[in-house]
Amino acid sequence: MRHDQARYSREDKHEPLLSEKNETTLEIGDDSPLPDELTRDSLTLPEVSEPEVARHYTRLSQMNWSIDSGPYPLGSCTMKYNPRFTEDLAADPNAAVHPDRSSESVQGTLELYHDLQEYLAEIGGMDAVTLQPPAGAAGEFTGILIAKAYHEHHGNDKSEVIIPASAHGTNFATAALAGYDVVELPSNEEGRVDVEALEAAVSDDTAALMLTNPNTVGLFERDIVEIAEIVHDSGGVLYYDGANLNALLGRARPGDMGFDIMHYNVHKTFATPHGGGGPGAGPVGVVEELEQYLPKPQVRERDGQYVLEDPEESIGKVHGFLGNWLVLIKAHAYISRLGHEGLVDTSAKAVLNANYLASQIDLEVPYGPFHHEFAATSGDRDAADVAKRMLDYGVHPPTTKWPEMVPEAMLTEPTEIESKESVEDLAEAFNRAYADSDETLESAPNRTTAARIDQATAARNPVLSWHTLDDEA
Amino acid sequence: MTTGGTPFAPHTDADVEAMLEEIGAGDESELFDIPEEVAFEGKLDIEARDEPAVKSDVSRMFARNDDLTEFLGRGHYSHYVPSLVDHLSMRAEFLTSYTQYQPEITQGFLQVLFEYQSMIVELTGLEVANCSMYDGASALGEAATLASRLRRVSGDTMLVPTHLRDGKQSVLENYCDGAGLVVETYSMDDGAVDVGALEDRMDDDVVAVYVENPTVRGVIQEELGAVGNLADEHDALFVYGTDPVALALLEQPAELGVDVVVGEADTLGLPTSFGMGLGLFATKEEYLRQVPGRLVGASDDDAGNRAYTLTLQTREQHIRKERATSNICTNQAWVALRTAMHAALLGPTGLVDLATDAVENASELSGRIDELSGFRAPVHDRHHFREFLVRSDQPAAAIAGDLETEGYAVHVVDDHLLQVCVTDTNEAAMDDLVAAFEEVAR
């Protein structure tokens, strides 16, 4: 085993909460510059020294897996190495301007913002891009709002969004959030969109089809031109979920495939750190006809000056300001580091690694051929148990039990950053875990910071702050 | 440093050859299953550059920004972030990790988020805080959809103050639209809620009332207990917008009958960052199953030790799909981590001091501007937090333009109203700003 995380806390029980180190109640009252009735009586929070804060968070960081710790092959999450020079740029004090500055005084900020809009349009084959959505799901919401605005503007009465059963859960939640009914589309025997089922599903009510291509088991939707035709003929809009864009960089562009709207997960595809659950950024690209509905404002270049302009029929705003700026800086720097050659090579190595890994594991891998990810099945073994055992072998396991079209799925995406040897280590972790006894799997993991965690009790008896934590002996 | 391919894939030519042979492919392009009619054969118009070239290019862009001392706020604030926050939050194990889907190897981040939730619970007095939304605007939008799910009557109106950022209202309207809610405004009196007007407007059509404290104009509200009673009488949700620094000093929202606290939590932990935020969301325990976003809970592991995990995930999109409480997935976890670190470094004393300064500095600076000929400040006869309005005899835009020439940025609110915000990061420049105001008034 090459990769190992700090696990000394297992013997120490746990790293104490800050509140268990020292908690202080400060009475406020007389010291307040405000009248009593506007002031709280007291405030109780941890009061710890700076060295204690440093050790607390350093220790907690050591109890945490990251892409810099080792492989992180979570399918559909595209966890890859984040170069650090981009962090220096995001930390530049000149980057940290207030969002209400006059555009004349922040030309540098707007230039980078504008450049990234152009880069993404080029990569996606789109005509215009907004950088405002603060995450992929926010990008989906923005995209569906644009589709809705387009239909309303044209007097189209539409009530449904069609989504393949294998799609990301966010697609369904997004369509519902925008007020649409969801029509779920089954996959065919090859794991792709069932074109006949699509023909049966589309109608005058169809506002959009949300599609991921390659799809969530890594298969390219070969019938994409026909699919686009069917959707467009019904009067619907074709939406591209950018979660799997890493597989296509420089090889195929959603705009060229007939997609009208797409989002980019720049924190995935363009290697901006995911920060333990965000911030991400979910820019949205559209074809020319839809540009007028983009969120306001857009950054545009006018006579050598960068200006903020509101698109004519704008859907309004999807973020209080202009989005997750620090993430956008990193995406810009990453894309310009790679350029065309680097982007094309990224998809080449991502697809190579996925196919090589699929060929090296003992688990059955249905469907194929694969792009950047594949869903192996652990068959009669519980995929979640196999995953827990993989933790003992020093790797982060894949996404488990999803998508549902593959029973006991282990959705695996090594990305381009793993070496041949590292992919072989991953395969070995898979194979050893898969070969272990049921008893071993059920008691796993044994070599991690915490042993198997009781999720059922956590949900049945929620303890969500230190205020309700029982004192431990 | 090569620019011929991705510098982040470690494969040697021999590796690639061996791997292709094992797969049974002749070359890398054979692995792509893309129909010819949609394959991209061109060259993307993006030039590859090495690391120093990218760095100098981006630095060149940022150097184009004017060097101004900002007295800007209106919902987005600059407070000094201690260096230790940068150093700790940049530790790779935090920065480069994903959402905690395997809790056994992500205990560190889960504990941080549990501590963040705990701090928000203490500051708001409400029982449940999630571990982040995108920003204050999206948190407000999610509060509206929560109200929509909870409504027991046929109401469809969300009431918001007339003094509200356009952007925040626009985001809210986008959330409300899908939920079948409409956004209506209520009037303000001298910068605060006009309780009489609100009482006249209240009926069973109202599902939620939103109040900010401090307001976008920096006014500290004085009659929120009455608003809470009105909301309660009409079975409407009382939604309160604020930030953690203000919460350190102001009366606890729970004491006022607030149902949901939303706002910008990035006032701690993050520089202004061109508007990047951290959405605060806290509510009562009775609404727990309707809460949007991620929650971290404490439990036990098989060895009987305390352990943390994402919990109540059946509310979330990856399980519940179109019946989820929200579509949010990736949120602002790393910003929440920085906020928790900043709060931990301040402690209760530092946090209350910061809030006290926000009241005292606003009072001092507005008083000094008020003494200048041609200006009146603060416009509202109220207590202020960080910021206040200035009335000018001259056109406000011209004054702000002249101030910018002198090196200062302030807001233009309308033809004759300016807004000025002072915090610990610009308080040292107060004398210079007053002198600049005096200069431009001539």
Side-chain angles (χ1 to χ4, degrees):
Chain A
M1 190 175 84
R2 297 184 316 155
H3 312 289
D4 202 359
Q5 68 163 343
R7 52 192 152 80
Y8 49 77
S9 64
R10 190 73 174 267
E11 285 73 42
D12 290 349
K13 307 294 185 203
H14 54 75
E15 166 69 9
L17 290 161
L18 280 169
S19 59
E20 292 167 328
K21 292 175 192 261
N22 184 41
E23 204 170 57
T24 297
T25 298
L26 186 72
E27 304 295 335
I28 298 176
D30 293 348
D31 298 333
S32 172
L34 299 172
D36 271 0
E37 64 273 19
L38 300 182
T39 310
R40 64 190 292 148
D41 299 334
S42 66
L43 180 65
T44 304
L45 280 173
E47 181 91 69
V48 289
S49 68
E50 177 159 339
E52 285 174 296
V53 170
R55 285 188 178 163
H56 178 69
Y57 289 105
T58 299
R59 245 169 98 83
L60 290 179
S61 77
Q62 290 167 338
M63 295 159 64
N64 209 63
W65 191 260
S66 71
I67 190 65
D68 282 11
S69 315
Y72 220 133
L74 276 172
S76 265
C77 300
T78 313
M79 277 296 282
K80 55 184 181 180
Y81 172 73
N82 312 115
R84 285 315 191 285
F85 73 99
T86 64
E87 296 298 326
D88 295 344
L89 295 169
D92 186 327
N94 285 321
V97 294
H98 192 282
D100 287 341
R101 286 268 293 255
S102 67
S103 41
E104 296 79 19
S105 74
V106 289
Q107 284 294 298
T109 295
L110 297 182
E111 181 183 349
L112 186 142
Y113 202 93
H114 182 265
D115 273 8
L116 182 57
Q117 289 176 182
E118 302 272 296
Y119 281 168
L120 294 175
E122 175 74 2
I123 289 166
M126 290 282 155
D127 294 314
V129 170
T130 172
L131 306 182
Q132 201 177 114
E140 292 176 23
F141 187 44
T142 306
I144 292 303
L145 290 175
I146 290 168
K148 195 174 181 181
Y150 163 81
H151 289 308
E152 282 171 4
H153 193 203
H154 287 82
N156 306 337
D157 188 19
K158 306 278 189 182
S159 58
E160 293 175 353
V161 171
I162 302 175
I163 306 172
S166 64
H168 303 100
T170 46
N171 288 182
F172 300 85
T174 296
L177 187 61
Y180 283 111
D181 297 328
V182 173
V183 177
E184 201 169 295
L185 199 63
S187 306
N188 65 16
E189 283 174 6
E190 288 184 328
R192 294 182 170 81
V193 166
D194 186 327
V195 174
E196 280 178 26
L198 176 64
E199 275 174 332
V202 295
S203 72
D204 289 345
D205 293 330
T206 305
L209 168 67
M210 298 180 84
L211 199 61
T212 311
N213 193 19
N215 69 16
T216 48
V217 286
L219 308 176
F220 194 88
E221 297 288 356
R222 295 191 199 113
D223 300 324
I224 186 61
V225 173
E226 195 182 348
I227 291 169
E229 250 176 51
I230 294 169
V231 174
H232 289 149
D233 286 351
S234 79
V237 164
L238 192 58
Y239 180 91
Y240 182 85
D241 179 324
N244 295 343
L245 187 64
N246 203 49
L248 293 188
L249 293 172
R251 311 270 165 180
R253 308 193 303 174
D256 301 339
M257 293 179 214
F259 286 93
D260 307 295
I261 308 175
M262 69 177 289
H263 82 263
Y264 309 73
N265 295 86
V266 298
H267 48 291
K268 298 180 179 183
T269 315
F270 305 115
T272 52
H274 200 73
V284 167
V286 294
V287 295
E288 194 176 2
E289 195 182 355
L290 300 177
E291 186 175 356
Q292 59 181 321
Y293 306 106
L294 286 174
K296 62 184 183 185
Q298 275 292 97
V299 177
R300 293 187 179 133
E301 193 181 352
R302 298 278 181 233
D303 307 322
Q305 282 283 306
Y306 296 96
V307 296
L308 299 176
E309 290 183 354
D310 292 349
E312 267 172 51
E313 301 289 334
S314 173
I315 58 167
K317 289 185 68 66
V318 293
H319 183 267
F321 298 98
L322 287 172
N324 278 338
W325 170 235
L326 300 184
V327 177
L328 299 171
I329 295 170
K330 297 175 207 178
H332 180 285
Y334 183 83
I335 292 169
S336 56
R337 173 77 184 91
L338 261 54
H340 170 80
E341 294 83 0
L343 292 165
V344 171
D345 197 37
T346 294
S347 55
K349 297 301 189 295
V351 173
L352 176 67
N353 274 356
N355 282 285
Y356 184 61
L357 180 55
S359 76
Q360 300 297 302
I361 63 172
D362 298 337
L363 288 72
E364 190 197 335
V365 184
Y367 310 119
F370 305 104
H371 274 238
H372 63 305
E373 67 185 358
F374 59 85
T377 172
S378 59
D380 55 0
R381 320 300 304 276
D382 186 299
D385 286 346
V386 176
K388 292 298 180 203
R389 185 59 178 155
M390 286 178 76
L391 299 177
D392 286 334
Y393 294 125
V395 298
H396 195 288
T399 301
T400 55
K401 308 230 181 203
W402 187 82
E404 284 134 12
M405 60 197 275
V406 175
E408 299 302 321
M410 303 191 77
L411 184 66
T412 313
E413 181 182 8
T415 81
E416 69 277 12
I417 69 139
E418 301 303 336
S419 66
K420 177 171 177 284
E421 294 72 24
S422 176
V423 172
E424 287 162 359
D425 282 355
L426 262 172
E428 191 188 340
F430 258 108
N431 295 340
R432 286 173 68 183
Y434 187 56
D436 280 330
S437 69
D438 284 345
E439 197 183 6
T440 306
L441 295 191
E442 281 160 23
S443 69
N446 295 296
R447 303 168 57 83
T448 49
T449 311
R452 186 84 69 105
I453 292 165
D454 183 354
Q455 311 246 17
T457 301
R460 205 163 39 239
N461 177 30
V463 177
L464 305 174
S465 78
W466 59 45
H467 302 79
T468 49
L469 203 56
D470 291 335
D471 290 332
E472 286 175 23
Chain B
M1 287 200 227
T2 171
T3 53
T6 169
F8 310 119
H11 309 70
T12 64
D13 290 346
D15 287 341
V16 173
E17 206 175 308
M19 292 165 84
L20 285 171
E21 196 178 325
E22 184 71 15
I23 300 164
D27 66 62
E28 287 173 339
S29 65
E30 276 181 34
L31 300 173
F32 288 85
D33 183 29
I34 300 171
E36 218 171 286
E37 54 196 318
V38 297
F40 177 70
E41 306 286 357
K43 187 168 185 228
L44 296 169
D45 185 20
I46 302 172
E47 187 195 346
R49 280 175 286 190
D50 64 14
E51 183 173 316
V54 175
K55 280 179 98 164
S56 69
D57 188 41
V58 173
S59 298
R60 172 196 61 77
M61 287 189 222
F62 289 151
R64 289 186 65 190
N65 288 344
D66 294 345
D67 184 15
L68 300 180
T69 305
E70 298 169 345
F71 284 85
L72 300 171
R74 288 185 69 81
H76 197 74
Y77 305 101
S78 168
H79 284 290
Y80 176 74
V81 180
S83 290
L84 185 60
V85 172
D86 287 331
H87 285 268
L88 291 174
S89 67
M90 294 294 284
R91 287 185 65 90
E93 302 90 331
F94 288 137
L95 185 70
T96 77
S97 64
Y98 199 73
T99 302
Q100 301 76 29
Y101 291 136
Q102 294 290 343
E104 292 84 2
I105 55 168
T106 47
Q107 284 297 296
F109 216 121
L110 286 163
Q111 182 168 335
V112 171
L113 295 173
F114 183 82
E115 294 184 334
Y116 165 80
Q117 290 174 184
S118 301
M119 290 174 182
I120 300 297
V121 163
E122 174 61 28
L123 285 164
T124 59
L126 296 167
E127 296 93 357
V128 179
N130 77 12
C131 61
S132 78
M133 318 274 3
Y134 306 129
D135 67 348
S138 67
L140 174 58
E142 297 279 8
T145 64
L146 174 77
S148 156
R149 288 191 296 276
L150 292 175
R151 62 185 156 182
R152 285 163 290 246
V153 290
S154 57
D156 64 0
T157 305
M158 169 101 192
L159 287 181
V160 303
T162 47
H163 296 166
L164 186 66
R165 281 195 70 107
D166 291 347
K168 195 177 277 184
Q169 180 154 345
S170 184
V171 172
L172 172 66
E173 283 168 356
N174 274 327
Y175 277 84
C176 283
D177 190 44
L181 297 178
V182 290
V183 180
E184 252 186 56
T185 57
Y186 61 81
S187 56
M188 307 284 276
D189 176 24
D190 192 26
V193 182
D194 183 339
V195 176
L198 184 64
E199 187 168 6
D200 291 343
R201 171 60 188 87
M202 284 301 288
D203 59 27
D204 290 344
D205 191 41
V206 177
V207 294
V209 180
Y210 177 59
V211 172
E212 293 189 340
N213 193 33
T215 69
V216 68
R217 295 178 162 194
V219 167
I220 297 173
Q221 305 263 10
E222 292 174 20
E223 295 187 82
L224 294 182
V227 176
N229 290 339
L230 280 177
D232 201 35
E233 282 164 25
H234 294 274
D235 211 13
L237 220 58
F238 183 12
V239 184
Y240 178 105
T242 189
D243 77 83
V245 180
L247 285 170
L249 187 62
L250 300 182
E251 166 124 64
Q252 262 193 330
E255 299 287 317
L256 297 162
V258 168
D259 295 294
V260 185
V261 175
V262 297
E264 297 284 1
D266 65 298
T267 50
L268 293 176
L270 203 64
T272 46
S273 307
F274 203 45
M276 182 161 134
L278 167 62
L280 165 66
F281 193 98
T283 189
K284 294 177 171 173
E285 190 161 21
E286 59 183 294
Y287 306 137
L288 177 60
R289 308 269 161 184
Q290 293 297 332
V291 168
R294 295 197 178 120
L295 295 169
V296 175
S299 184
D300 290 330
D301 70 6
D302 277 354
N305 295 321
R306 183 199 296 166
Y308 305 92
T309 181
L310 294 176
T311 194
L312 297 167
Q313 293 185 67
T314 51
R315 300 165 299 108
E316 293 191 65
Q317 39 69 33
H318 64 283
I319 309 248
R320 191 66 68 85
K321 296 169 80 167
E322 71 267 32
R323 291 184 307 281
T325 50
S326 164
N327 75 335
I328 194 169
C329 180
T330 289
N331 52 27
Q332 305 285 109
W334 184 74
V335 188
L337 169 137
R338 290 178 59 99
T339 296
M341 287 173 173
H342 193 170
L345 279 166
L346 288 170
T349 312
L351 205 50
V352 171
D353 282 352
L354 199 57
T356 302
D357 287 350
V359 176
E360 290 176 345
N361 281 335
S363 174
E364 186 196 331
L365 183 57
S366 61
R368 292 177 62 184
I369 292 174
D370 196 46
E371 285 170 15
L372 303 174
S373 149
F375 298 107
R376 193 166 85 70
V379 169
H380 301 302
D381 183 22
R382 304 273 184 182
H383 297 286
H384 284 76
F385 199 90
R386 295 193 190 101
E387 52 193 333
F388 52 88
L389 292 189
V390 179
R391 188 177 297 284
S392 166
D393 303 338
Q394 304 297 316
I399 296 281
D402 289 348
L403 283 171
E404 194 162 301
T405 310
E406 300 286 319
Y408 303 94
V410 299
H411 296 283
V412 176
V413 175
D414 67 20
D415 291 352
H416 290 279
L417 288 179
L418 295 160
Q419 187 163 338
V420 177
C421 176
V422 56
T423 71
D424 54 332
T425 60
N426 60 10
E427 64 181 340
M430 280 200 289
D431 289 346
D432 297 336
L433 180 75
V434 172
F437 260 100
E438 197 167 9
E439 181 68 29
V440 303
R442 280 184 194 154

